[in-house]
Amino acid sequence: IGCGKTTLVHHLINNYHDDVIVGYLYNTPQNMAELMQWIMLTFDLPFEGLSEVAMHQQLQKYLVKNYTENIKTVLIVDEAQNLSIEALESLRMLSNINHDKHQLLQMILVGQPQLKKMLLRPELQQFNQRVSVEFFLTPLEIVDVKNYIQHRLKKAGRTKEIFTEGAYQRIAEASKGIPRVINVLCDLVLVYGYSSGQEIIDEKVVDEVIQDKERYGVFSVANDNI
C-alpha cells in the first residue's frame, strides 16, 4: 500500500503504442451486470438498455474487430482486491473470448496484498491458473529512498543538496521505504524548515515532524529500522 501502483498504471496508459487500446477500471463493480457496464463504458461502447448477453456480444464483436485490425485490447483493473468473487469469475469468463485460438482481451489486475490471498481461494482456482505474470511491488531500500528524494527535488528545480545524510536516514526509517509516506514526510519537513528559516534540513527537523505526526496526526510513523 502506497508503493506507487496507480502511478505506474497511469505511466503505462500514457506511454502505450498506437496499436494498443487500454480500458481502465478504477472502481470495484461487484456483479456481472455492473462489471459489464463499466467495461463497455471504459471502451466507449454503448450499453444503456442492453442485457448482459447483448453487452457480451457487443464486446466480443469489438474485440474481434480490434484483432482483425492488429490492435491489442487490454483491460486494467485497479484496486482489484475489492472485487467480489462473482466479479472475478466474470472476468475469467471474459478471458475465454478468443478468435483462431488467440486470446482477444488481455487483463492486468492491480491491487493490494489481499488480492493474492483472494486468488488462492479454492473457488478461484481456475482464475489463478490463468495468471501468467505476477509481480509484488516492494518498499524502497534506504539507498533508494535517498535517490528517490533527490530525483523529486531535481524535477522540482533544486540543484543543490538540501537534506543531510542523517535526514535521509531518518526519513527512510520512519517511512519504511513507502513512497507515499516519504512524500508526506518530505512535504512537511520542507514546510517546517522554511518556517524556521533553515537552508539545510537535518535529522532534528525530521524528528520534529515525526513527533508531531505521532502526537497530532491521523496515523503513526514507525521509528524502527527498515
Side-chain angles (χ1 to χ4, degrees):
I1 301 174
C3 283
K5 298 181 295 297
T6 301
T7 299
L8 289 175
V9 168
H10 285 293
H11 177 76
L12 174 65
I13 292 174
N14 292 331
N15 289 277
Y16 63 79
H17 296 159
D18 293 337
D19 62 346
V20 178
I21 292 178
V22 176
Y24 177 45
L25 291 184
Y26 51 86
N27 54 4
T28 53
Q30 297 298 307
N31 54 61
M32 181 61 175
E34 187 179 344
L35 177 66
M36 283 299 302
Q37 289 175 350
W38 279 106
I39 291 176
M40 300 289 281
L41 181 62
T42 194
F43 287 124
D44 198 25
L45 297 173
F47 65 90
E48 293 185 2
L50 297 180
S51 65
E52 292 181 30
V53 174
M55 285 189 288
H56 191 279
Q57 290 178 333
Q58 288 272 24
L59 179 62
Q60 183 167 331
K61 290 179 181 179
Y62 173 75
L63 296 176
V64 171
K65 176 179 177 294
N66 289 345
Y67 172 77
T68 57
E69 295 176 355
N70 293 319
I71 296 175
K72 298 180 179 66
T73 309
V74 179
L75 176 66
I76 300 176
V77 182
D78 203 356
E79 300 296 345
Q81 78 281 351
N82 294 327
L83 291 171
S84 66
I85 299 297
E86 180 185 354
L88 285 169
E89 180 61 17
S90 298
L91 286 177
R92 184 188 70 81
M93 297 300 292
L94 290 179
S95 70
N96 289 332
I97 300 176
N98 60 79
H99 184 75
D100 294 334
K101 297 184 179 180
H102 291 278
Q103 187 174 337
L104 303 186
L105 179 63
Q106 296 187 20
M107 302 182 192
I108 300 176
L109 302 186
V110 184
Q112 297 175 10
Q114 300 96 304
L115 176 61
K116 181 179 179 179
K117 295 181 180 179
M118 286 184 61
L119 296 182
L120 291 176
R121 296 177 61 165
E123 58 266 43
L124 290 174
Q125 183 178 3
Q126 292 188 65
F127 191 109
N128 190 26
Q129 290 174 349
R130 299 190 182 204
V131 177
S132 57
V133 179
E134 59 186 85
F135 184 80
F136 184 79
L137 192 61
T138 60
L140 302 176
E141 300 291 340
I142 290 179
V143 63
D144 296 321
V145 171
K146 178 180 177 180
N147 293 335
Y148 172 74
I149 295 172
Q150 289 179 333
H151 173 75
R152 293 290 300 269
L153 289 171
K154 183 178 179 180
K155 285 292 184 179
R158 178 74 179 189
T159 57
K160 296 181 180 180
E161 186 63 82
I162 192 172
F163 290 96
T164 66
E165 289 297 325
Y168 285 125
Q169 179 73 24
R170 290 296 292 122
I171 292 172
E173 292 172 352
S175 66
K176 288 192 172 183
I178 298 176
R180 183 181 297 160
V181 182
I182 295 171
N183 295 343
V184 172
L185 287 178
C186 286
D187 284 345
L188 285 174
V189 163
L190 291 173
V191 171
Y192 276 49
Y194 174 79
S195 64
S196 60
Q198 293 189 224
E199 295 185 2
I200 299 296
I201 303 296
D202 57 20
E203 58 267 37
K204 292 182 180 179
V205 180
V206 179
D207 285 335
E208 183 181 357
V209 169
I210 293 173
Q211 290 171 7
D212 286 349
K213 288 292 291 180
E214 291 181 331
R215 185 181 304 172
Y216 306 113
V218 295
F219 64 92
S220 62
V221 178
N223 287 307
D224 53 329
N225 293 330
I226 294 176

